[in-house]
Amino acid sequence: MSRIAVVPGSFDPVTLGHLDVIERAAGLFDELHVVVVHNPGKTALLPIAQRVSLIQESIREAGLPASILVTSWSVGLLVDYCTDVGAIALVKGIRSQIDVAYETPMAIVNRDLAGVETVFLLPDPAHAHVSSSLVRQVAALGGDVAPYVTPAVARYLQSPRD
Ligand code: PNS
């Protein structure tokens, strides 16, 4: 039976730190789903469909396995998605103790709700300071986001929009 894992997140936008975690997770599981989830605690910059296509393009540009499935989930609990597709684990990247504090209660609740375990992966320390919110801020103020994202995301953020 194939072991399926889900990498969930806002991905607003996807960063090189996210891609590092996605690549590491792809090496650990038979099947990987990257799932864009609306986080009601955050004000989003990019529409969800745009986030999905930027992840797909970034996976291609970064040479990650084409078998990685990218989708979104907006109906009900994230663990409902996991149950629907038969995923046994959620995968989260941990940059610092702040991430541990934020992720631990969600991991325990997700296990209580549906028996889905959460696997924490440490990204390359080179990406420890990278976050979507910093990328959004640098882009909004006209800075160069190229060190933090794939060319596809940099092109999108630096192209004129309404
Ligand atoms: O990239 P983010 O914003 O840190 O991702 C957080 C996210 C979207 C993964 C988190 O908010 C989440 O898991 N949302 C799903 C809603 C849910 O199922 N909540 C109940 C159990 S924690």
Side-chain angles (χ1 to χ4, degrees):
M1 203 176 84
S2 98
R3 298 170 78 80
I4 303 172
V6 167
V7 183
S10 302
F11 302 109
D12 187 33
V14 66
T15 67
L16 295 184
H18 291 131
L19 289 168
D20 182 73
V21 169
I22 291 167
E23 182 173 18
R24 290 173 197 282
L28 294 174
F29 293 92
D30 301 317
E31 206 182 300
L32 196 67
H33 298 203
V34 178
V35 181
V36 178
V37 185
H38 171 65
N39 184 341
K42 294 181 178 173
T43 306
L45 173 70
L46 307 183
I48 287 195
Q50 187 63 53
R51 293 183 236 168
V52 169
S53 58
L54 285 175
I55 298 168
Q56 287 166 331
E57 222 176 314
S58 296
I59 283 174
R60 272 196 300 277
E61 281 185 346
L64 270 51
S67 57
I68 297 170
L69 185 135
V70 186
T71 188
S72 62
W73 178 252
S74 53
V75 190
L77 297 165
L78 178 59
V79 289
D80 293 341
Y81 177 88
C82 295
T83 305
D84 282 2
V85 301
I88 57 165
L90 292 159
V91 177
K92 300 285 188 82
I94 294 292
R95 292 162 301 184
S96 67
Q97 289 300 322
I98 296 170
D99 283 347
V100 175
Y102 174 69
E103 296 293 348
T104 300
M106 289 196 284
I108 292 169
V109 168
N110 284 327
R111 186 166 62 194
D112 286 349
L113 286 169
V116 176
E117 297 287 355
T118 298
V119 174
F120 292 142
L121 293 181
L122 301 177
D124 185 324
H127 303 304
H129 59 293
V130 179
S131 68
S132 298
S133 61
L134 270 180
V135 168
R136 289 196 301 274
Q137 199 178 108
V138 171
L141 298 173
D144 181 15
V145 295
Y148 314 119
V149 296
T150 58
V153 175
R155 278 195 304 276
Y156 178 83
L157 291 177
Q158 284 158 1
S159 65
R161 288 187 306 282
D162 299 336

